[in-house]
Amino acid sequence: PINLITQHRQFQKVVTKHIKIDEKLIIELNDRSVYDQCLAVSALRVHDCPAMTIDPFTVILNDPKNIEIDADNWYEMEKLDIKRPDIKQFVVTPEHPIFKYKWNAQNWLEQFERVKGVRDQQSDRKRHLLRITTMLNTIGVIHNKSYTVETGGNKKEIKFKFEQLKTIAYNHRSKLPLSKGMKSVLKSPYQFTTVEVGNNDRLLVYEKLAADKSRPVLLNMANATTSGGGYRQGAGA
């Protein structure tokens, strides 16, 4: 309980207010000497719980985990210095702030609307950079094993439960045998097939079909010459 922390004897009853941000508790004191003592000790233990680290507020304030991606720290700054859009140049430095910043969809959409439908080299480059921004943040989310969503002013943390990957490997011999028996192998269990073509997001269609108790299959159109296609460079396909 937070009150066990704020009322701890180490703070000597000089706590004026506090606020919790994710896994951090920011405490304001009205006595400079107590503040200095807390920083000198730099830790706090409540009963038999693991010790908590005490840092100056500026450390917490400047922590990328507490900062949203915006024009001041990315979109109009470092992002524009990237000469060639490619996520590989960032993956080799996992401590980069881009993997820690909090996502703000509205900030991203505002940037994308500025170049939406504009057909020139500079705008196309910015679109690629915006796409790799979402990829880099996603990589950071996977690394942190959680992300936060906000609906109606309420924040909810979504934690991942990773299962071991189940991979089926195919080689150049992995082909259907060309024989007279193929027709029986490929025989459909249905009398007819309905084909619909729609201008929709494939994941939204998949979600709707799954909600309707169907068992949809999602086909990923792969690149025949480049592994992963242009994904790492922010291609919009």
Side-chain angles (χ1 to χ4, degrees):
I2 292 178
N3 67 301
L4 292 181
I5 300 174
T6 57
Q7 297 173 12
H8 195 278
R9 63 180 182 276
Q10 189 165 320
F11 295 121
Q12 302 180 34
K13 299 181 180 181
V14 297
V15 176
T16 55
K17 65 180 181 179
H18 64 272
I19 182 172
K20 186 177 182 294
I21 301 178
D22 297 328
E23 296 300 315
K24 292 179 171 59
L25 182 67
I26 301 174
I27 296 177
E28 185 175 309
L29 311 177
N30 63 3
D31 189 307
R32 179 66 191 223
S33 61
V34 177
Y35 173 84
D36 291 336
Q37 290 174 19
C38 290
L39 292 185
V41 176
S42 71
L44 177 75
R45 184 184 293 276
V46 178
H47 300 320
D48 296 328
C49 298
M52 291 169 279
T53 302
I54 298 179
D55 291 315
F57 177 68
T58 51
V59 174
I60 299 173
L61 189 66
N62 296 325
D63 188 342
K65 293 180 180 179
N66 300 322
I67 302 174
E68 292 183 341
I69 306 176
D70 59 21
D72 293 331
N73 58 32
W74 180 254
Y75 294 120
E76 300 297 337
M77 298 295 290
E78 185 174 351
K79 179 177 73 68
L80 299 180
D81 294 332
I82 302 173
K83 295 181 179 179
R84 183 174 181 271
D86 196 319
I87 65 173
K88 289 196 295 182
Q89 59 191 299
F90 293 95
V91 173
V92 295
T93 53
E95 68 279 2
H96 195 284
I98 191 61
F99 296 117
K100 301 175 183 178
Y101 285 137
K102 293 196 294 186
W103 183 253
N104 184 307
Q106 188 60 40
N107 289 348
W108 188 93
L109 285 171
E110 288 176 0
Q111 295 290 326
F112 198 85
E113 286 295 328
R114 296 179 183 178
V115 293
K116 184 178 180 181
V118 182
R119 300 300 174 188
D120 57 54
Q121 189 174 0
Q122 184 178 6
S123 298
D124 186 56
R125 176 175 171 273
K126 285 185 177 181
R127 282 191 290 269
H128 279 68
L129 290 171
L130 285 167
R131 294 187 192 106
I132 72 167
T133 299
T134 63
M135 300 170 199
L136 293 171
N137 187 260
T138 301
I139 292 172
V141 163
I142 294 172
H143 178 74
N144 295 326
K145 299 180 180 179
S146 69
Y147 66 98
T148 302
V149 294
E150 185 172 355
T151 307
N154 298 318
K155 293 184 178 180
K156 181 181 180 181
E157 185 181 23
I158 309 298
K159 293 189 176 182
F160 296 145
K161 295 181 180 179
F162 292 116
E163 296 182 0
Q164 187 174 358
L165 290 175
K166 299 174 183 178
T167 303
I168 301 175
Y170 295 93
N171 59 23
H172 64 286
R173 295 188 181 89
S174 301
K175 299 177 181 179
L176 288 172
L178 186 60
S179 64
K180 294 181 179 179
M182 182 176 288
K183 290 185 179 180
S184 61
V185 174
L186 299 178
K187 186 177 180 180
S188 172
Y190 307 104
Q191 294 181 349
F192 63 90
T193 299
T194 301
V195 177
E196 294 184 15
V197 179
N199 184 18
N200 298 300
D201 186 286
R202 63 196 181 283
L203 293 179
L204 294 178
V205 174
Y206 185 98
E207 186 178 39
K208 182 180 183 302
L209 290 170
D212 293 339
K213 308 301 181 182
S214 297
R215 299 175 63 190
V217 173
L218 196 64
L219 180 63
N220 177 29
M221 304 302 289
N223 190 296
T225 58
T226 306
S227 178
Y231 171 81
R232 293 184 304 200
Q233 290 79 38

